[in-house]
Amino acid sequence: METGEESAYREFHAHYFRRLHRYLLVLCSGREPLAQDALLETWRRVAKHVRVFDDETIFWNWLVAIARSALTDEARRDRRYAASIERFRLHAATEREAGRDGDVLKIRLEKQLQLLPPDDRDLIAWKYFDRLSVATIARRLNTTESAVESRLVRVRRRLKFAVLADLDHEATP
């Protein structure tokens, strides 16, 4: 195998395939697809790192160590894949829910915006609807940028609490 002879790989495969497959099945509690994936990865690693051993027991121990490592990597990959699928499922459910709730939230926000004093409503409109910079707004109001930022923070906070109170009031029977 070390010299790349195909017949040596065939002999190796014929001699160790079943034994290694059973070993991996035991380790992964009978999950056949996981055992097969780990076995394929084991063959790949053996082909990449093959070397000569003086003793068959030492070779088997080396082979088992590679198989355990491959199984650990495959199981980790499976868990990451399952976790990403679950995150996608939750994200999709959240998006669907947000689509419904987003309309309610938008309506509440528009209502609360109309209840703001005209100066605060103009400030929010300039910043978020007209997309003016803080510097431009400061020049319009003849004030400093930090004063505009502070005022925006206060107005946003009032809006947030007003919308939350409105939603909370709706939820209360």
Side-chain angles (χ1 to χ4, degrees):
M1 281 177 37
E2 191 175 40
T3 60
E5 292 180 35
E6 189 172 334
S7 61
Y9 280 104
R10 288 181 194 280
E11 184 180 331
F12 164 73
H13 185 271
H15 188 69
Y16 287 101
F17 177 83
R18 283 194 185 134
R19 186 176 173 192
L20 201 53
H21 185 245
R22 283 191 309 265
Y23 175 77
L24 287 167
L25 271 173
V26 169
L27 285 182
C28 67
S29 304
R31 293 182 305 194
E32 180 68 30
L34 182 58
Q36 287 177 352
D37 289 345
L39 187 57
L40 285 172
E41 180 59 20
T42 301
W43 293 139
R44 190 192 66 74
R45 291 178 186 185
V46 166
K48 184 176 180 180
H49 301 288
V50 70
R51 59 183 209 244
V52 177
F53 289 89
D54 296 332
D55 184 301
E56 199 275 334
T57 303
I58 295 171
F59 176 70
W60 173 251
N61 290 338
W62 176 75
L63 195 56
V64 164
I66 290 174
R68 271 194 317 266
S69 174
L71 179 62
T72 301
D73 291 347
E74 290 299 319
R76 189 177 300 125
R77 193 172 297 120
D78 280 357
R79 283 191 303 274
R80 279 194 309 260
Y81 178 74
S84 69
I85 294 296
E86 181 62 15
R87 280 193 306 275
F88 177 76
R89 187 190 68 76
L90 289 174
H91 178 71
T94 302
E95 286 293 316
R96 283 191 303 276
E97 197 62 34
R100 283 182 250 137
D101 291 346
D103 293 339
V104 172
L105 189 59
K106 184 178 176 185
I107 291 167
R108 300 292 181 225
L109 181 58
E110 287 171 354
K111 175 185 165 190
Q112 292 303 323
L113 278 170
Q114 293 306 314
L115 296 175
L116 284 176
D119 291 346
D120 290 343
R121 194 172 338 129
D122 288 344
L123 184 66
I124 293 292
W126 291 336
K127 176 67 179 161
Y128 298 105
F129 300 122
D130 299 340
R131 298 189 184 275
L132 297 179
S133 68
V134 173
T136 303
I137 296 170
R139 281 193 300 278
R140 272 191 185 181
L141 296 175
N142 197 25
T143 188
T144 65
E145 291 179 32
S146 59
V148 171
E149 285 289 351
S150 295
R151 198 165 148 210
L152 278 166
V153 167
R154 288 191 301 274
V155 173
R156 285 190 306 251
R157 188 177 296 134
R158 271 199 318 260
L159 267 175
K160 173 185 167 186
F161 287 124
V163 168
L164 288 174
D166 198 17
L167 289 170
D168 195 34
H169 177 72
E170 178 187 296
T172 308

